[in-house]
Amino acid sequence: MTTAPITESAHHDEVSHGTPWKEYFSFSTDHKVIGIQYLVTSFVFYLIGGVLAELVRTELATPASDFVSREVYNELFTMHATIMIFLWIIPSLTGGFGNFLVPLMIGAKDMAFPKLNAIAFWIIPPTSVLLLLSFFVGPASAGWTSYPPLSLITNKAGEAIWIASIILLGTSSIMAGLNFLVTILKMRIPSMPMNKMPLFCWSMLATSALQLVATPVLTGAMVLLGFDLIIGTAFFNPTGGGDPIVYQHMFWFYSHPAVYIMILPAFGMISEILPVHARKPIFGYQAIAYSSIAISFLGLIVWAHHMFTSGTPDWLRMFFMIATMVIAVPTGIKVFSWVATVWGGKLRLCSAMLFGMAFVSMFVVGGLSGVMVAAVPFDIHVHDTYFIVAHLHYVLFGGSVFGIYSGIYHWFPKMTGRMLNEPLGKLHWALTFVGFNMTFLPMHILGLQGMNRRVAEYDPQFATINMICTIGSYILAVSTVPFIINAIWSWIGGDKASDNPWQALTLEWTTPSPPPHENWEIEPVLVVGPYDYGKNHKMPVNMPPAKAEPVLATGSTTQDEGNPDVANENSEE
Amino acid sequence: MNVPSSVATLIVGIAITLISVWVGQNNGLLPTAASVEAAQIDNLFNAMMAIATGLFLLVQGALLYSLFAFRKRKGDETDASPIHGNVPLEIVWTAIPSAIVLWLAIYSFDVYQSVNSGGFMGSDHMAHAQSKVVNVSNQTQLADMGSGMANPIDDSLVINVKGLQYAWLFYYDGTDIVSGDLHVPAGRPVELNINAQDVIHAFWVPEFRLKQDAVPGAETHLAFTPNKTGNYPIICAELCGAYHGAMKTRVIVETPEEYEAWYSSRIVATSDNASDVAEASPHAGHQMASLTLNPDNLKDLQTPSVASQEIQALLSSAEPLTAPNL
């Protein structure tokens, strides 16, 4: 009888609900506190980056450059991209969900290096303040790609601050990556072999490998660019014999894998969320697990597809085209597996599931346009146009951000011990889905028809479509309001969450919500696989769903129905 | 009526195929095709669009159908059936995408080879191209008498392109012609040797479907054959500073007769003004900076072009122009 985790959970309840709020402002080494610190901090930057995006869209509502000056416009989109990538998506997905979930999913008490973990987080707040302070001296305005020579001659002070910020944020990311890699490989409970690991852990393994291998190259590029900018060396500056294309290679050697750093954790979360709410095992566990590793490896050898028009030699163009297209295969395996997981399930259409299915739906669009732009002859036409803007937002917003939202709705009960409000969640989902598609779908047409990106003014023939995009972006802005109200309100006074409100089978649901310090008093034992749904068709109907997780411990619900211990716990709750 | 699932699947499959093929051929998403290359690239795009539409409908259809058909019924607390996978199905959806991308890679390669006939594009042929440019000064006198055919081997019209904040300048190879907009005859291959004065720019003509970055300190190349007369925009596609969005000019594709007339008029005009224009050779980079910034120099360009009008508009505007201070 392996009901131990459940009896333990009753013990913990009064302890775990008392995480003092001051803890969240401290140098805590608790991975759960750090995870929430990451999530809340990065969400604040999502809002700041969002305001910048709305200013950009407002300028683009009309063809003329008439809202902000052209210089300010360039600063706005540069900072929008920088904040969204380095202060929202990467920290929230790896730092936020990775920290909160990985130790809980593998049965560990904490990360392998708790202090390193705290340092990695605490690099971010001062760095982000530094980056925002650059608005007082004129922030970087050469795009988030910061190509020299342009980045060496415009807003030099802001550019120097930008370089320093990227180096610091990259350092934080390397620390986090190292920590995840060691934690996943070494901290699993003995009863969990690699191929019983939740798929989120597989995707974090793939992500952390990329963080470790690719990020140092970006740091190197930034150091060299900083030398060029500040002390006048000529690594990339053609007036001194430098080569600006070398910078592009170094930059994209990180920044293409960064796309996978931003999407692989979301892949992992979706692989967790869909089976729980479809009440069906994940379809093709091994294919999904190994495809994460394949994507991680292939992601390292495709960077020059960002440089098809940079004067890249023919053989390089062909190599990178084929390598890029090959990534469609493991990605396609994932998408088809998710669809097959949902197919024939018994879908509980809660907000987490709706965002999860929307993730698959939107990511497919970004994936298909991704294969198209891999084809060199076509990319030569659409490179640096709004087609690319549309493509990258379908991947990073329709993919990563929808994934983050799905994850928040799914794990909020575990993180806070409170349930989110479902009607507000569905309103949030509907507004986001409509606003997102209205903003970014028409951009495909703009790019194909001939509108280049990063422009403050454009040909009047594109006015109507741009106006639609701008209105869509305002809907997208409004869509965050129900979410913010929901999150704050529910955190303070939402319905109490049980240990396992979704009847999920992964280990994080065997501990109280929120989990106590060090997660479990007695190390949990893996009794059922992470996705063994449907083993019995007689889930107890009359029991509150909150206590259905004995399924995990016993592997059989028939025993639970007559189990007096379980009944007692229910009455205590 | 109870339609057998195999028949339903067949009907859905045929419908998706037909819709995809139709969308591939009739999407109308691309602008006018005005070069030989554009037609081939459009065929590639249409093929990809058909495949993408098919996959899009398949996945979105399955998701939408699931959303309605497989939602949990009220009161049903049981799980769905424990299907962990299906190896033949997984092999199918690994093999088919692999076949598609393999085919697509070969097709794209083929289109690229034919668009880039002679391996001219990119910068790997830099040594070859530079020797060509060095020869220009020697050929100048020769070509002055001729029709501007600087490349005697094929019939290509060679033009040296310079991108600078925020204009394009076109130097007709072997002549003294400098123009702010690009005149080319329909039906004749054009080769561009592209260079940048200050920062990276990108030469893009949407109607030709072709784009090439202009990189300072290096020379890049682009080859195309315009085949449809008309005026098309030349757009800078790489962020180059505050006025990046205003860095536009046009390519004027003319009939060979019209082009010849324009060409002769410019030859006459430039010879009147030879001393000024001689300075504006592709290698006089530092002088180009003063050309951009000094309105007096702009008058030396014989026909006020779109680009030079842009420059003058910028100079007269109140907002300060960022000097290319490299």
Side-chain angles (χ1 to χ4, degrees), chain B:
Chain B
M1 194 179 72
N2 203 353
V3 184
S5 65
S6 55
V7 175
T9 313
L10 187 69
I11 293 170
V12 170
I14 292 172
I16 289 179
T17 311
L18 289 178
I19 294 171
S20 307
V21 171
W22 187 87
V23 169
Q25 292 309 311
N26 300 287
N27 56 67
L29 289 169
L30 290 164
T32 319
S35 71
V36 174
E37 292 74 17
Q40 300 173 43
I41 293 167
D42 288 5
N43 286 339
L44 173 66
F45 171 74
N46 290 341
M48 292 195 295
M49 195 67 198
I51 297 169
T53 306
L55 288 167
F56 175 87
L57 292 176
L58 189 72
V59 174
Q60 310 290 0
L63 285 173
L64 262 181
Y65 181 79
S66 304
L67 202 58
F68 293 102
F70 300 127
R71 66 194 327 167
K72 187 170 76 84
R73 307 291 160 206
K74 270 215 171 84
D76 181 2
E77 293 296 327
T78 59
D79 284 357
S81 18
I83 301 164
H84 284 268
N86 181 330
V87 174
L89 188 59
E90 287 173 55
I91 290 173
V92 165
W93 71 46
T94 307
I96 291 181
S98 304
I100 290 176
V101 297
L102 189 68
W103 173 80
L104 197 57
I106 293 168
Y107 184 15
S108 302
F109 185 87
D110 194 44
V111 171
Y112 184 71
Q113 289 291 90
S114 118
V115 165
N116 180 24
S117 52
F120 185 70
M121 275 153 59
S123 65
D124 47 333
H125 298 275
M126 203 134 90
H128 155 75
Q130 272 174 351
S131 65
K132 195 189 278 182
V133 174
V134 171
N135 287 337
V136 166
S137 47
N138 304 332
Q139 290 178 0
T140 306
Q141 281 79 19
L142 276 174
D144 262 350
M145 302 179 283
S147 59
M149 290 177 199
N151 191 338
I153 300 155
D154 55 33
D155 185 33
S156 289
L157 174 63
V158 178
I159 299 165
N160 300 310
V161 181
K162 183 181 281 293
L164 69 169
Q165 286 176 322
Y166 299 93
W168 292 105
L169 289 174
F170 302 96
Y171 301 83
Y172 283 70
D173 200 28
T175 76
D176 288 335
I177 300 176
V178 184
S179 174
D181 39 30
L182 179 61
H183 286 254
V184 288
R188 182 169 161 198
V190 178
E191 291 182 8
L192 303 182
N193 301 316
I194 304 172
N195 189 297
Q197 156 96 10
D198 33 39
V199 299
I200 301 175
H201 303 275
F203 174 96
W204 180 35
V205 180
E207 281 75 7
F208 293 171
R209 313 281 187 272
L210 290 176
K211 184 181 290 120
Q212 176 58 55
D213 286 7
V215 183
E219 190 167 76
T220 54
H221 310 281
L222 196 62
F224 55 87
T225 308
N227 62 0
K228 194 168 180 186
T229 55
N231 288 357
Y232 310 109
I234 296 173
I235 298 167
C236 175
E238 182 67 57
L239 176 64
C240 61
Y243 288 83
H244 167 54
M247 184 168 164
K248 271 184 189 171
T249 181
R250 55 194 174 145
V251 52
I252 300 157
V253 182
E254 299 162 313
T255 60
E257 298 75 37
E258 285 168 343
Y259 171 76
E260 210 52 49
W262 172 83
Y263 182 85
S264 318
S265 74
R266 293 303 298 263
I267 287 290
V268 174
T270 48
S271 60
D272 290 347
N273 220 336
S275 60
D276 285 340
V277 184
E279 287 186 357
S281 74
H283 295 290
H286 52 286
Q287 279 146 350
M288 291 314 302
S290 61
L291 177 71
T292 346
L293 294 171
N294 183 353
D296 294 333
N297 282 346
L298 291 172
K299 290 174 191 138
D300 292 341
L301 291 171
Q302 291 301 303
T303 325
S305 66
V306 177
S308 60
Q309 283 164 358
E310 292 274 13
I311 294 167
Q312 278 170 328
L314 295 179
L315 290 169
S316 57
S317 71
E319 289 168 285
L321 180 69
T322 314
N325 56 352
L326 274 174

Side-chain angles (χ1 to χ4, degrees), chain A residues 148-150 152-153 156 228 232-244, chain B residues 196-199 215-218 285-286 324-326:
Chain A
L150 182 66
L152 300 175
I153 58 169
K156 289 185 177 184
D228 275 11
T233 53
F235 292 106
F236 306 128
N237 193 339
T239 48
D243 188 347
Chain B
Q197 156 96 10
D198 33 39
V199 299
V215 183
H286 52 286
N325 56 352
L326 274 174

